[in-house]
Amino acid sequence: MTGSADLKPHLARSHVMDLMRQMLRIRRFEEKCIELYATERIRGFLHVYIGEEAVAVGALPTLTPDDAVVATYREHGQALIRGVPMNAIMAEMYGKQEGCSGGRGGSMHIFDVAHRFYGGNAIVGGGLPLAVGMALADKMCNRRRVTACFFGDGAVAEGEFHESLNLAAVWKLPILFVCENNLYAMGTALELTESETDLHLKAQSYRISSVAVDGMDVVAVEAAARRATAAIRAGEGPQFLECRTYRFRAHSAFDPELYRSKTEVEEWKKRGPIERFGAWAEANAILHPTDFAALEQEVAAEIEAAVAFAESGNWEPVETLTRGVYAEVAP
Amino acid sequence: MTGSADLKPHLARSHVMDLMRQMLRIRRFEEKCIELYATERIRGFLHVYIGEEAVAVGALPTLTPDDAVVATYREHGQALIRGVPMNAIMAEMYGKQEGCSGGRGGSMHIFDVAHRFYGGNAIVGGGLPLAVGMALADKMCNRRRVTACFFGDGAVAEGEFHESLNLAAVWKLPILFVCENNLYAMGTALELTESETDLHLKAQSYRISSVAVDGMDVVAVEAAARRATAAIRAGEGPQFLECRTYRFRAHSAFDPELYRSKTEVEEWKKRGPIERFGAWAEANAILHPTDFAALEQEVAAEIEAAVAFAESGNWEPVETLTRGVYAEVAP
Amino acid sequence: MTRPPVETRIRTSYREAIRAAIFEAMLEDERVFLMGEDVGRYGGCYAVSKGLLAEFGPERIRDTPLSESAFVGAGIGAAIVGMRPIVEIMTVNFSLLALDQIVNNAATLLHMSGGQISVPLVIRMATGAGRQVAAQHSHSLEGWYAHIPGLKVLAPATLEDARGMLGTALRDPNPVLIFEHVLLYNMEGEIAADAGAVEIGKAAIRRPGRDVTLIAYGGTLHKTLLAAEILAKEGIDAEVVDLRTLRPLDTATLLESIGRTHHAVVVDEGWRSGSLSAEVAARLAEEGFWSLDAPIGRVCSVEVPIPYPRHLEEAALPQPARIVAAAQAVMRR
Amino acid sequence: MTRPPVETRIRTSYREAIRAAIFEAMLEDERVFLMGEDVGRYGGCYAVSKGLLAEFGPERIRDTPLSESAFVGAGIGAAIVGMRPIVEIMTVNFSLLALDQIVNNAATLLHMSGGQISVPLVIRMATGAGRQVAAQHSHSLEGWYAHIPGLKVLAPATLEDARGMLGTALRDPNPVLIFEHVLLYNMEGEIAADAGAVEIGKAAIRRPGRDVTLIAYGGTLHKTLLAAEILAKEGIDAEVVDLRTLRPLDTATLLESIGRTHHAVVVDEGWRSGSLSAEVAARLAEEGFWSLDAPIGRVCSVEVPIPYPRHLEEAALPQPARIVAAAQAVMRR
Ligand SMILES: Cc1ncc(C[n+]2csc(CCOP(=O)(O)OP(=O)(O)O)c2C)c(N)n1
Ligand SMILES: Cc1ncc(C[n+]2csc(CCOP(=O)(O)OP(=O)(O)O)c2C)c(N)n1
Ligand SMILES: [Mg+2]
Ligand SMILES: [Mg+2]
């Protein structure tokens, strides 16, 4: 595994098992969502994280419960790993009252303040300024927290990316930018839209220290994220992590995938984060076939329970439609 | 003079005289505007270019009549050097019908399509996308033109700067970005607002070739601009010129200048573009005291005529107020 | 109205009609090009531009980065120096990022330059809710754009208008915004095989009636027509007016209609307060006051960010039942 | 109304009143900070924050780069995790660059999160024309913001409101936008030395009258009061209502007033079509129809980008003479 050399010592069986479990939780959850979309239990836009699991699984456990996360519309994975209960996420996908956002948000707007999970933003680039402000508040209050902000390669072209990186750097804010570079923004390849496709270099032009890692390698991501969050906690200001990854499925349910070849997708699938990590763990006799089976079973049970929970959830009555437009009491 | 070594041969007396004349035209014009503002002939916002003359005078003559210019609200100097008649500019400052924008725009909105001068944009950063589109059209039509886009150091923080540079670079457009870095955006010093204050490096993060020049040295600006426009014409794509300069006067008539010291201003004044170039020309016996006197007289006459022209101009009748909201015929 | 014989009519969809209009414009005028996110290789997020890349190549079917402000501004810049760009903003939701360019450049350059510079630009975007895509993706902000002098704003609601408005917009020397309701793309029907440019600037009476004037546009037109059918069964003969052009508003047609019906209901998917329906109602109250026998009714979106679940989304948006109820209410006394 | 004794009144200006409100809020609550372009070292582009940097330091009087979207978004981010930011956008003209953050984040986070996240943020900005700063710097777009559910929108027109609205806004758990008309900053007068927070959400009758209700807000209030004086001399007793809060609109006070006067004129510096005046007129036409004895009049900006020359700018904006004429017109028949 790339970059895993210096981390081997930490790769205890329990940790390997945990990484595997978390990646599987995302993978199987997303697969179930696709199924549920086909049967119209889930509606609206659905963006799944299949192929990119190593990013969330590698990066998020380096945060503490006090830290915060801001994500995009492709955020089920982050939410799951952050600890938002799968039941609440699934109910949200259904639009049920028991969803983590009360059913109001759906797939693109997963929120859970108890887990300091601040969405779920469906405007590309729109989460970055928000994360900057959260980090600013922490800095002004001398709170030793990190705000991790996830966004795609597409967001890099937006003006808000530029403004946010600059602000974070000028003000030396405790923020971790995580760029999920899956090479495409919907159907447009990065190389057609960025003059500099080595995205982590962009961060350096703001004097933000940055690194690019193999986003298909959960151990590499974890190592890099750990270094980055440690630097932030040490007061070194914002850090930028470019995770080079790939989306195995269509952008959303409406995407006919005309813009890339099947071969390209297949090539990347060979590097699948679960597949490779699993093979490595097995080859090194850290995990055994029975472990995989047990994990799959455990995950399947969790998903089944989540579906049951969502199915049995309630629709908000129409009478409360105008709820949640204005807050009544100061937070 | 910095950077003038390789250009000495071209510094014929007539060229030196011309550079001097043009810088004086701007300086004296702006001084007159300040006077006219005090007597309320000119109203609204007035931003003068005193101290920064070398930028427009050095950069613009490297363009041909076919090329185009997009500027900011601090654009009198560019307009003058581009060849917009001083009469029409002054009448515009008065808001008279005879003004180059029919009096509708005033100081911040000088337009003259005959001279391919496309404003006069008062939204910081707002001219950059426009210039990108003009260059795109030229490229699509295989026209060998350059679009020169002027903007201040303050514009660099705007998202539109980032989006525009990237577009220009991805599409390899024939555009010259001229950053007039006078170290302040209104009252906010560059070092407080940019994590990377070496602005020309930012252009490089888009793979745009860039250079920083002493913007107080008209010969250095000219040399750099000549190289840049030549590169653009040779098909090398966008070029970026950072001109390091200084604004000797307040940002606008409303600015109490609390944010910088008199000493700082005085230090910069010693490097005044007219002052230094004049001293150099005299020391090298290229220009003589009588030349300066003659130039001053010539410029004074032109300004006097412009004021007379503006004074005797007409106010647009109120009856035509709603003119110019919609065009009637296709251009 | 004389219709062309049946054999010259073809079956098409709203989506295909727009594509045909783009296709035709690209063929006719080499200054025309299409630019926006995913218009090329992806085929357009609503598949409007599917196939055009193969036909016209990547220079003229130009995929852009996610840089709404810059590529809209670039469209303006290209327009002022001779091109005829069609800029596609995926949806009105993202147009907020380009608003400065539209309001402060596209709409003002002609005026600020004393008439020297015109901006023959067409900006297309999808608008509206109804697909359960929640609060950030369900805006109906065309009314905002209709507030801005210097812009023209169109809302094609029929196949003919989807086919015809683009060509007319491209021939207009001013910036023209075209709002395509997301729920209309799949609408199918027949149009004349030689359908082409249509007049803009005039409202159209889509259903004549004597008792009440129902005023709608874009996505709500069809709900309003449905409501009119229901009303007809209850003995109320509703006239349905399609605004078609949101700026400038064709007040004359509206006044004429209420001059006959003496009752008006305005239907608008925008949130009620400050939506386009307010302007329509205000004009009727100013200029049609003496024609009105009852207060004006409005059926708009409920003032809440659009929620994800279907039943709540449906409740938030104008529906035939609410239109019927509003018409009955204004007829009641 | 019992007024405090004369000796406790102080002379102040609109600018100073706002500064005093900021000052007080900063002292009272350490979660409050001011952030924006040139608020610190420059002293604020309208000198509102002059002196505050020396008092509170650069952390709490925070100069920002020219990055409207990011610093407004940062204000939202800071607000949702416990701060009480006051974000200053120099003028409404530049707020277009931050509109996405305001509409898609500030206004929707509470709803999208199912009520978990509230955004106790105050955004102040200057608005309006009258200083000959031409088309790009003269917008009056507060009506746009008043369209958005989730936002509250205030327009202080008096010294008391300039002094008092900010404090109330900061105590509100929702995003509140405060629009300060550029021509009011120099307005001087006396207010109670202990003036403080004022109620928001209610319109105020600034001049009682029997014949016609003139409805205005912000910068046009004073022109409207002038018009009322002129009308008084001509025997028309005008009531002048100051909207104060543009969202939510206090319709009740308006209906009450026209219930007495039976005539209404709405004055608004926004361009007529689709301005806030349209919503006001629409509500009166819906809910006050039977009170009205004549069509509603509107006095708005002429639909042209604001021109630079004084005489043209004056002609484009609402002026007392036009308000008088409109009032006379609605009274005439
Ligand atoms: C401002 C904005 N423009 C356009 C869209 C439509 N859109 C949704 S996702 C997407 C692609 C984003 O790509 P990227 O940032 O790389 O994220 P990915 O989907 O690859 O995870 C686009 C264009 C949007 N949501 N917001
Ligand atoms: C988008 C925007 N924000 C704020 C302003 C107000 N403003 C006008 S000029 C200026 C400073 C710009 O500085 P810079 O770009 O360095 O140009 P300079 O004035 O120094 O030539 C500011 C903040 C504006 N016009 N546009
Ligand atoms: Mg991507
Ligand atoms: Mg500057």
Side-chain angles (χ1 to χ4, degrees), chain B residues 73-74 152-154 180-186 247:
Chain B
Y73 49 86
R74 193 184 299 287
D153 49 293
E180 299 174 311
N181 180 0
N182 61 12
L183 296 177
Y184 291 90
M186 278 187 66
R247 155 168 70 65

Side-chain angles (χ1 to χ4, degrees), chain C residues 126-138:
Chain C
T127 188
R131 301 183 73 213
Q132 288 190 251
V133 288
Q136 293 181 331
H137 273 59
S138 299

Side-chain angles (χ1 to χ4, degrees), chain D residues 14 26 50 55 64 70 74 90 92 98 118 122 131 143-144 147 179 183 191-192 197 204 212 222 262 279 307 316 325:
Chain D
Y14 188 87
M26 301 271 300
K50 204 162 159 181
E55 199 66 37
T64 66
M90 269 193 187
V92 68
S118 60
V122 173
R131 301 183 74 213
W144 270 12
H147 177 53
F179 287 89
L183 290 189
I191 60 169
V212 56
H222 306 280
H262 309 295
E279 179 60 28

Side-chain angles (χ1 to χ4, degrees), chain B residues 100-101 104 109 111-113 116 121 126 129-130 133-134 136-137 140-141 143 160 163 167 171 324-327 329 331, chain C residues 59 62 65 67 69-70 73-74 76-78 81 83-84 101 105 110-114 116-118 150-151 173-174 247:
Chain B
C100 53
S101 308
R104 289 284 175 126
H109 302 300
F111 285 87
D112 184 349
V113 172
R116 304 213 75 229
N121 201 306
L130 215 66
M134 292 164 65
L136 171 63
M140 289 181 75
C141 298
R143 291 187 292 239
E160 287 184 329
E163 296 185 3
L167 265 193
W171 292 342
V325 182
Y326 292 98
V329 281
Chain C
E59 283 283 305
R62 186 170 285 266
S67 305
S69 194
I76 301 169
V81 295
M83 303 300 278
R84 291 291 180 279
Q101 285 296 326
N105 280 338
L110 180 74
H111 176 266
M112 292 193 307
S113 67
Q116 292 176 80
I117 295 180
S118 59
L151 303 180
N174 299 289
R247 184 178 186 97

Side-chain angles (χ1 to χ4, degrees), chain C residues 112-194:
Chain C
M112 292 193 307
S113 67
Q116 292 176 80
I117 295 180
S118 59
V119 185
L121 169 70
V122 173
I123 303 177
R124 297 172 42 241
M125 52 186 125
T127 188
R131 301 183 73 213
Q132 288 190 251
V133 288
Q136 293 181 331
H137 273 59
S138 299
H139 295 299
S140 288
L141 291 169
E142 49 277 2
W144 270 13
Y145 290 95
H147 177 54
I148 304 296
L151 303 180
K152 295 191 177 178
V153 180
L154 311 181
T158 64
L159 297 175
E160 277 78 10
D161 280 350
R163 179 67 181 82
M165 280 182 164
L166 182 82
T168 317
L170 280 167
R171 275 186 283 281
D172 198 290
N174 299 289
V176 182
L177 275 55
I178 304 182
F179 287 88
E180 301 161 8
H181 197 287
V182 285
L183 289 189
L184 297 181
Y185 286 119
N186 289 332
M187 180 175 74
E188 295 197 357
E190 290 196 346
I191 61 169
D194 62 351

Side-chain angles (χ1 to χ4, degrees), chain A residues 104 320-327, chain C residues 304-305, chain D residues 107-112 114-115:
Chain A
R104 290 284 176 128
T320 52
L321 174 63
T322 57
R323 200 179 47 96
V325 182
Y326 293 98
Chain C
V304 57
Chain D
T108 59
L109 279 167
L110 180 73
H111 177 265
M112 291 192 308

